[in-house]
Amino acid sequence: MSVHIDIEGLRPEAVAVVPSPLAELGMALHALSEPAHHPGLQGWVTGVTARLDPHLADRMCEADFLWRTTFSDLFLPWAGLPDRRTLPAATLTEELDQLDKLSDEQFVDAAMEFTCGSCYGDQGRTTLSDPETRRRALELAAARGPRQLRFGERLLADPPTIRAWLRQFLRDCEEAFFAEAWSRLRHQLAADARHKTDLLRRKGLAEGLAAVSPAITLDPAGTLITVDKLGDGRTSTGDGGLLLVPTSLGWPHLMVLHRYGWQPVLHYPVGSPELAAPQALEQLALRMTALSHQVRMRMCRHLARSAHTTSELAQVLGMTAPEISRHLAVLKKAGLITTRRRGRYVLHQLDVTVVARLGSEFLEGILR
């Protein structure tokens, strides 16, 4: 499972690395709603929550499904503008003006993405224009609770009122806590954008993407970007551009905007050493499968304590040497054991460091 971006014909100058205050505000709201996703932000979350006005906190809960799961594409409005080359603006006010330029159809579909998962990759069908899509959207919203249903009904009945409500809410968040955070974060994001831009110019797209995240790769032909994620999706730059948007609050989320008709966006975290070498999801699944077998778990118990030969494992586990060899091969393929030779004997031992990282790698993988 991966998200693919077809970039055939993309010119180097159409690739831009630009911070976005609105996208960072979306990540701030997400972190406040799901602090467990972001253990490194616990202190900031606690401080903001403690001084948050109760009325604003209530409004934050009213539509938290726009940012709780990750955050809605509404926080990346420049990607939805018709020329597909618009860049994020320098200020939150300017980006809210860009949000106002989205059509009602775009706004409603983006707002209802996490409420009901409607028509993300569809061409031509929108929640406002297609009766069946509208019916299905409200049906799914109802299944997810009265708050989502009320929001969906209000949104479909009167998009301008919801748009005005959201704009005012975001302005109030800026005044309450985000302006202070942005004044601190924007320097780090600007520095990362300059570094990535310089790398793209000097080294090319493949190395620039690798610096963004090892989970992003460019095929040898230079026409297809693949993002290793637990999800499927496909989009293309077409005659538009490709945007790379850094976030200081986003680890471990590496997100790809691949909505039909919108400019593709890679929204990536910076300043998190934990992201230096994220595990490939295929390898992570291989390791978890290898450890799910009872015999291999018993083998790991012995291999964690000391190195053993195949014969020693066969004797202690009451199995034949060929049976042990087959299980060792599975563990070795998964990268869970190391081997070394001592004379004519081959010793196997559990790589405790790799096993110890599995929990954090699993969490990073499913949240990526």
Side-chain angles (χ1 to χ4, degrees), residues 26-220:
M27 285 309 315
L29 289 167
H30 169 64
L32 290 169
S33 299
E34 286 288 359
H37 286 195
H38 308 275
L41 299 177
Q42 291 286 355
W44 178 79
V45 168
T46 301
V48 170
T49 303
R51 65 176 188 270
L52 201 61
D53 176 77
H55 179 58
L56 183 58
D58 288 342
R59 292 159 64 203
M60 193 177 293
C61 293
E62 188 173 345
D64 65 354
F65 39 83
L66 291 178
W67 48 78
R68 180 179 288 275
T69 304
T70 53
F71 68 91
S72 167
D73 290 344
L74 291 177
F75 291 97
L76 313 172
W78 22 265
L81 298 183
D83 65 358
R84 303 187 75 205
R85 296 253 181 117
T86 304
L87 300 180
T91 68
L92 181 65
T93 298
E94 291 173 305
E95 288 200 301
L96 291 176
D97 291 340
Q98 291 174 324
L99 178 61
D100 287 342
K101 293 178 181 179
L102 294 181
S103 68
D104 282 349
E105 287 77 10
Q106 288 177 303
F107 184 92
V108 169
D109 284 342
M112 299 199 71
E113 175 192 345
F114 297 117
T115 302
C116 60
S118 64
C119 51
Y120 190 89
D122 291 350
Q123 179 181 4
R125 293 194 305 130
T126 72
T127 314
L128 282 179
S129 64
D130 183 70
E132 177 58 25
T133 302
R134 183 188 187 99
R135 182 197 66 77
R136 181 62 175 159
L138 289 176
E139 182 180 279
L140 290 174
R144 299 190 180 189
R147 181 182 295 168
Q148 285 87 337
L149 178 59
R150 286 194 301 270
F151 180 86
E153 290 173 335
R154 291 169 56 206
L155 180 63
L156 291 170
D158 189 5
T161 296
I162 296 297
R163 297 180 73 148
W165 176 91
L166 180 62
R167 182 183 178 110
Q168 186 58 54
F169 168 75
L170 295 174
R171 292 300 303 269
D172 292 344
C173 287
E174 179 185 33
E175 182 179 348
F177 63 86
F178 183 67
E180 179 185 354
W182 181 247
S183 68
R184 172 174 49 87
L185 298 174
R186 63 188 178 90
H187 302 293
Q188 180 193 27
L189 297 179
D192 183 82
R194 288 192 297 269
H195 171 68
K196 296 293 194 304
T197 299
D198 182 62
L199 191 61
L200 287 167
R201 289 173 180 168
R202 290 187 298 105
K203 299 290 187 177
L205 185 58
E207 291 204 29
L209 293 174
V212 167
S213 170
I216 306 174
T217 56
L218 181 66
D219 74 328

Side-chain angles (χ1 to χ4, degrees), residues 353-365:
T353 303
V354 170
V355 177
R357 287 201 304 263
L358 278 177
S360 59
E361 287 173 351
F362 173 74
L363 185 62
E364 188 273 336

Side-chain angles (χ1 to χ4, degrees), residues 282-293 296 330 334 336:
E282 183 179 359
Q283 180 72 359
L284 177 62
L286 192 66
R287 288 177 175 174
M288 296 182 72
T289 300
L291 291 173
S292 67
H293 195 285
R296 290 193 286 272
V330 173
L336 294 169

Side-chain angles (χ1 to χ4, degrees), residues 292-338:
S292 67
H293 195 285
Q294 186 176 9
V295 170
R296 290 193 286 272
M297 288 180 66
R298 291 171 60 202
M299 290 174 62
C300 287
R301 179 174 183 271
H302 295 282
L303 295 175
R305 288 165 167 76
S306 64
H308 288 71
T309 66
T310 301
S311 298
E312 288 172 334
L313 286 171
Q315 182 177 3
V316 74
L317 293 173
M319 300 172 65
T320 67
E323 289 175 321
I324 292 295
S325 294
R326 284 194 293 270
H327 286 296
L328 286 171
V330 173
L331 293 171
K332 187 172 183 179
K333 184 178 180 181
L336 294 169
I337 61 172
T338 60

